[in-house]
Each structure stands twice: as C-alpha cells, then as structure tokens.
Amino acid sequence: MFTGSLIVHITAGFLALGVFWIPLVTKKGGRAHRRAGWVFVFAMMTVAFTAFHLSFYRLFISAGRTPGEDAFSYFLLFIAVLSIATAWHGMRVLRFKKRKTVHRHPVDIGISFLLLVSGLAACLYGFVQGIALITYFPLIGVVLGSLQLYYWLRPPAERMHWIYEHLGSMIGCSIATITAFTVFGAPQLLNMEDVSLFIWILPTFLLLPLIIGFSCHYQRKFNPPVSK
C-alpha cells in the first residue's frame, strides 16, 4: 500500500511539473489553458492526498523512524495542505468571480484557515526542533492563508479581482510542486547529501516575479490610467 501510494505520488508530481507551465504561456481562458489547468489541478490533488497517506504511514505505522524522517513527514504534510489550499482557492475564485459581497462559505474559509494554521504549526515545529529550513519556509503558507482569508472576508475592491487571485494561487501551487521536487527529488537524482536554504527558496524567488508581473499586466489592462 505504501509503495503504491509512493509510485502514484511521484507520477502525479512529474505530471504536474510537466504541465504547470502550459497555462502560463497559453491564452488565458482558452482551450489549452483550461485543459492543462485541470490536468495540473488533478495532478496536484493526487500529489496532496498521497502525501497525506505517506506522511501518516511514516508517522503512525512505520517502525524505527528517525527524527529526520519525522521532520520530513511533517514537512510533507504542510506541502500537501499548501497544494490543496492554493489549488482549491484558484478554482473557487473562478466560481465566485461575480460576487459583490463578503464570501463566508465554510469550506473556502476553512481551507484557507487550515493553510494559515498549518504554516504556523510547521514554523513552530521547525523552531522547536532547531531546523531553520522548516522554521522559515512555511511562512509562505502563513502569508498565502492570510491573503486568502482577506480576499474572502471583504467585498471585492478591484475590477477583475478574481484574475489576480486565480493567477497568484495557481502559481503558488506551482511553487509547492517545484519546491518539493528540488528539496526531495533533485538531491536523490544528483546524489546530494544536504539541501541548502538557497534550494528551498529558489522556486519562490523564480516564480514570485511571475505573480507580480501578471498582476501588474492585468492592472494596466483592466484599470488603465485616466488621461487628463
């Protein structure tokens, strides 16, 4: 059962890595964008749920664990929550893109709150264990969870607000995918014994400018400056 989940987890992860860039470079809302987007979401949900199974198996069933393996499992749980929360938020903002008021759907609020709390818990765990990498990386979950709650719990303030949220969430989900690969997959492929903080934060630094760039682009497109 564990081996089967691991195979599915790795396969879905590589599928997500293979298609995540397609929605970024194709026409937004077009057929290729939507189809590749759904494949990416399906792959990420599969990655997340298999990660839950793998983590719980390692933490509560597997014998002879080491502290390092426990830390890996807790971090994998956080990555799973981050993947689900960002992918879910990215889809749900499309479902409620015409809303004019505060949005209090318990599932949407609950998932965003779970991301916030899991980020704080992971940071606390890393701090207690003295693991700097786990202490600081989950801050991305704290930030994204807070921003999601801020978005849902206030009326939309901008025209086409859902576009910014959708792009930010899906790229945030991509950050989770690439980070998991660079931290856990690449070192094994390259026979690296340790992973530096630089490797952990590299995907964030590479993809964060995309979020900013797309936001600025659509700000200019949908909210052009008023000529005097």
Side-chain angles (χ1 to χ4, degrees), residues 91-162:
M91 293 186 300
R92 293 291 282 178
V93 295
L94 299 181
R95 172 68 175 80
F96 296 100
K97 63 184 180 181
K98 294 183 179 180
R99 73 181 181 94
K100 302 294 184 181
T101 60
V102 170
H103 178 80
R104 293 194 178 94
H105 193 287
V107 175
D108 299 328
I109 298 300
I111 291 178
S112 297
F113 184 73
L114 176 62
L115 176 58
L116 170 62
V117 172
S118 66
L120 290 172
C123 290
L124 179 61
Y125 174 80
F127 176 78
V128 171
Q129 296 297 321
I131 306 174
L133 297 175
I134 299 181
T135 301
Y136 297 111
F137 179 82
L139 288 174
I140 189 174
V142 177
V143 172
L144 291 178
S146 299
L147 290 175
Q148 288 180 10
L149 290 172
Y150 181 74
Y151 174 76
W152 287 130
L153 296 176
R154 69 184 184 98
E158 294 182 297
R159 182 187 176 205
M160 309 299 285
H161 53 90
W162 52 273

Side-chain angles (χ1 to χ4, degrees):
M1 189 69 175
F2 179 87
T3 302
S5 290
L6 183 61
I7 292 173
V8 173
H9 180 80
I10 294 173
T11 302
F14 274 105
L15 177 60
L17 284 171
V19 303
F20 89 93
W21 58 272
I22 297 177
L24 295 176
V25 300
T26 54
K27 181 181 178 182
K28 304 300 177 284
R31 179 178 296 180
H33 176 94
R34 287 184 284 107
R35 288 184 174 179
W38 279 113
V39 171
F40 176 76
V41 168
F42 173 78
M44 287 306 303
M45 291 296 184
T46 303
V47 166
F49 283 111
T50 52
F52 280 123
H53 175 255
L54 294 171
S55 298
F56 276 103
Y57 182 90
R58 286 178 179 271
L59 289 170
F60 304 111
I61 300 177
S62 178
R65 304 187 315 273
T66 66
E69 290 174 334
D70 282 353
F72 169 84
S73 298
Y74 283 121
F75 180 76
L76 192 60
L77 282 175
F78 168 72
I79 288 292
V81 173
L82 176 62
S83 302
I84 289 177
T86 49
W88 179 264
H89 188 73
M91 293 186 300
R92 293 291 282 178
V93 295
L94 299 181
R95 172 68 175 80
F96 296 100
K97 63 184 180 181
K98 294 183 179 180
R99 73 181 181 94
K100 302 294 184 181
T101 60
V102 170
H103 178 80
R104 293 194 178 94
H105 193 287
V107 175
D108 299 328
I109 298 300
I111 291 178
S112 297
F113 184 73
L114 176 62
L115 176 58
L116 170 62
V117 172
S118 66
L120 290 172
C123 290
L124 179 61
Y125 174 80
F127 176 78
V128 171
Q129 296 297 321
I131 306 174
L133 297 175
I134 299 181
T135 301
Y136 297 111
F137 179 82
L139 288 174
I140 189 174
V142 177
V143 172
L144 291 178
S146 299
L147 290 175
Q148 288 180 10
L149 290 172
Y150 181 74
Y151 174 76
W152 287 130
L153 296 176
R154 69 184 184 98
E158 294 182 297
R159 182 187 176 205
M160 309 299 285
H161 53 90
W162 52 273
I163 287 184
Y164 313 128
E165 289 294 315
H166 175 71
L167 286 171
S169 291
M170 301 314 289
I171 296 176
C173 191
S174 301
I175 291 175
T177 309
I178 299 173
T179 299
F181 173 75
T182 56
V183 172
F184 301 118
Q188 296 182 25
L189 294 175
L190 301 176
N191 294 319
M192 297 169 57
E193 295 184 357
D194 196 9
V195 180
S196 68
L197 178 61
F198 175 76
I199 296 296
W200 283 64
I201 63 177
L202 181 61
T204 301
F205 276 108
L206 290 177
L207 293 178
L208 185 59
L210 284 179
I211 298 177
I212 298 173
F214 276 120
S215 296
C216 292
H217 168 72
Y218 285 110
Q219 283 280 0
R220 291 192 298 268
K221 181 176 180 179
F222 298 119
N223 300 281
V226 178
S227 56
K228 296 181 179 180

